[in-house]
Amino acid sequence: MLKHFAVGAVMVAASVYAHAGLLYSSADLGPSYITLSSSNVSGGALFLGPANPNEQAIPDGGTLATTTSGTWLAAGPSSSNNTNPPFTSPGSAKLTFSGTDVTGVSFLWGSPDSYNSFEFVTGGPTGTTYSLDATQLQTAVNAVNGGIVLDSLPNQNRAYYVQLKATDGDYFTSLTFSSPGTNAVEISNVAVVPEPEAYMLALAALGVLGVAAKRRRSAKRA
């Protein structure tokens, strides 16, 4: 089911902004960030550190005192904006999650531009595709405390965190970041809930419990 964001159809609840199955806020779920690579990102281009500072997803000396961790992505209509490597699947980059455990995600939106757009896809009982333009995402986050400022031209002095939380038992399957008409959209510092490390520890703990239960059953039979 495809849903387009409508400002009149949302409501403010507690400290987040609700939108028919999604809660928006401005917070970083880090400091553990997932690795962006060709295994989970299609389209756009991936960069490591300051490989292309003019397209960086975190400003140099800007309003947000943080740093980009690891690989970051950018997407736009062409490679004319000094991108190296060049963009593939011009206009958008899709980040895909496997499994059904990602119920929350945050990312750093670098140099937010009015021509950026987003698609958030969830699975589960009410799985939905949410399509938002930059102004709509700005409105959703700013209803809490985001203070996102959009630019009609690239501004490397701003970057903001966006946090999304799926509700009603849903989970995220993909996020698509687009800038179809003008270069570019830049995203970094992607974190998820549960954190990958915590998820693996939980699986390990379940394995230990399973072994212990099996041993108890074997002891009783003996």
Side-chain angles (χ1 to χ4, degrees), residues 19-83:
H19 167 218
L22 285 189
L23 300 179
Y24 299 82
S25 65
S26 178
D28 177 16
L29 290 172
S32 295
Y33 303 112
I34 65 173
T35 300
L36 302 178
S37 70
S38 58
S39 65
N40 57 9
V41 176
S42 58
L46 296 172
F47 302 89
L48 181 62
N52 191 14
N54 290 332
E55 292 295 318
Q56 188 65 289
I58 177 64
D60 180 14
T63 59
L64 188 63
T66 188
T67 57
T68 295
S69 175
T71 307
W72 54 279
L73 67 84
S78 70
S79 60
S80 62
N81 209 24
N82 300 318
T83 61

Side-chain angles (χ1 to χ4, degrees), residues 116-200:
N116 297 162
S117 59
F118 306 84
E119 182 179 272
F120 309 133
V121 181
T122 60
T126 61
T128 303
T129 296
Y130 302 89
S131 299
L132 296 82
D133 62 28
T135 301
Q136 291 163 342
L137 184 58
Q138 175 198 39
T139 301
V141 176
N142 285 359
V144 188
N145 57 357
I148 292 177
V149 176
L150 295 179
D151 298 296
S152 57
L153 297 173
N155 187 328
Q156 303 302 320
N157 291 325
R158 298 191 180 110
Y160 305 92
Y161 278 104
V162 173
Q163 183 183 141
L164 311 168
K165 182 179 180 181
T167 62
D168 303 323
D170 287 350
Y171 52 88
F172 290 98
T173 59
S174 68
L175 309 179
T176 299
F177 309 99
S178 303
S179 190
T182 306
N183 287 330
V185 57
E186 300 92 30
I187 302 295
S188 65
N189 288 13
V190 180
V192 299
V193 172
E195 295 180 8
E197 295 85 350
Y199 185 59
M200 294 307 295

